[in-house]
Amino acid sequence: MKTIIIANWKCNPTSLKEAESLFSSVRGGIKNSENVEVVICPPFAYLPALLKDPKALIIGGQNAFWEDKGAFTGEISPPMLKDLGCQYVILGHSERRKYFSEKDEEVNKKMKAVVSASLKPILCIGETQEEREKGETKKVLKSQLQKALYKATSYKLQATSFVVAYEPIWAIGTGKACSSEEAEKVAVFIRKILADLYDQDTASQVPILYGGSANSQNAQSYIKEANLQGLLVGGASLEADEFIKIIETVVEK
Ligand code: PGA
């Protein structure tokens, strides 16, 4: 299984010129991406321009609607992303849940639509600081997974067709990354839930990523020590040099 390093640019940068410059710096700076799949998820508006010449980079969306087309002002559908050349789509990110009131049930509909369009969902799950303090992490993650994957098997949501990103909300953008020990324990738990939903063998094939203040200093610990299959990188992916360093430390593993 290749290590997957995903850049989540969120709502950045504010011009196509900057987006193209960041993209080409990353693309040109990666010397060796053997065994690493590098995925860039820019804002929708920049997708066509960046997809013109992605070279070895893979491109993904940051969200997608659950219907293919119709009267849904402002939405972008999975077939549209597929048609442009995207391969991945981030779903259920905590910022979508928080600022756009996205519910697990909607994430479930999106998961099915994205997989039906032959795109790979990156399913984000994670607990808040408060839930963590109350000892509710496992309960929250179990519920998010079960709901997002509800009736998944009957919708061809095979375990090999998606990626799970454990993104503790308290670690996102705070500089307080989760320790590799804790991330490893959570990943073992996530795999157990996946085994209950599918089976042991299938669960073992789902890549589990970590996200939340990941940077070039801590990147290796998640891959090497916590046995995770990749990273979802926000802030640190907006600086080409830092993002390239993350890829390099992971290739070195
Ligand atoms: P961060 O964001 O790396 O800036 O913490 C990660 C994410 O939200 O995907």
Side-chain angles (χ1 to χ4, degrees):
M1 203 189 275
K2 275 191 172 186
T3 304
I4 310 170
I5 305 295
I6 304 172
N8 177 10
W9 286 5
K10 308 191 181 185
C11 192
N12 299 291
T14 50
S15 72
L16 176 60
K17 206 172 158 208
E18 289 168 280
E20 285 179 326
S21 156
L22 173 59
F23 190 74
S24 69
S25 301
V26 171
R27 196 183 48 195
I30 301 171
K31 299 282 171 274
N32 176 9
S33 60
E34 211 186 316
N35 298 324
V36 181
E37 198 160 288
V38 183
V39 184
I40 310 285
C41 298
F44 289 134
Y46 305 139
L47 286 173
L50 303 188
L51 274 156
K52 267 190 207 142
D53 188 18
K55 292 225 168 67
L57 298 176
I58 292 169
I59 314 277
Q62 295 177 14
N63 181 31
F65 191 47
W66 58 76
E67 294 288 349
D68 289 354
K69 60 177 184 167
F72 307 103
T73 303
E75 292 297 333
I76 308 280
S77 79
M80 293 174 192
L81 295 175
K82 179 71 185 174
D83 181 59
L84 286 178
C86 289
Q87 294 184 37
Y88 282 89
V89 182
I90 297 172
L91 289 181
H93 192 281
S94 61
E95 286 149 18
R96 296 224 47 95
R97 295 179 194 255
K98 180 177 174 192
Y99 300 116
F100 306 98
S101 311
E102 220 171 85
K103 302 278 174 292
D104 290 311
E105 291 68 21
E106 289 156 3
V107 177
N108 177 244
K109 287 201 253 180
K110 292 179 175 197
M111 288 288 289
K112 291 169 187 164
V114 163
V115 169
S116 298
S118 304
L119 291 160
K120 255 191 191 191
I122 300 152
L123 170 62
C124 299
I125 56 170
E127 79 288 0
T128 62
Q129 174 72 39
E130 200 188 337
E131 288 162 343
R132 181 178 182 232
E133 280 164 10
K134 284 198 218 150
E136 291 176 352
T137 300
K138 286 187 175 175
K139 190 179 113 190
V140 169
L141 298 179
K142 185 176 176 181
S143 161
Q144 287 177 339
L145 271 176
Q146 285 177 336
K147 288 178 182 162
L149 297 169
Y150 179 64
K151 291 200 174 163
T153 40
S154 58
Y155 283 86
K156 300 195 189 71
L157 237 179
Q158 286 99 352
T160 43
S161 59
F162 66 94
V163 169
V164 174
Y166 169 54
E167 293 216 307
I169 295 166
W170 49 267
I172 296 178
T174 58
K176 290 187 221 140
C178 178
S179 70
S180 56
E181 294 81 14
E182 193 171 337
E184 182 174 27
K185 277 190 204 140
V186 172
V188 168
F189 175 74
I190 290 173
R191 224 177 270 293
K192 187 182 162 297
I193 301 300
L194 291 173
D196 291 344
L197 289 169
Y198 295 91
D199 57 70
Q200 200 74 45
D201 185 46
T202 347
S204 68
Q205 296 171 49
V206 180
I208 300 178
L209 277 46
Y210 168 75
S213 299
N215 56 38
S216 62
Q217 302 298 310
N218 59 27
Q220 211 184 30
S221 69
Y222 298 109
I223 312 300
K224 218 173 154 182
E225 293 156 29
N227 294 310
L228 292 174
Q229 287 73 52
L231 297 167
L232 181 49
V233 187
S237 73
L238 294 172
E239 283 171 44
D241 290 349
E242 174 66 1
F243 188 60
I244 290 162
K245 256 192 228 158
I246 293 177
I247 296 161
E248 280 169 0
T249 58
V250 168
V251 171
E252 274 168 26
K253 79 167 173 136

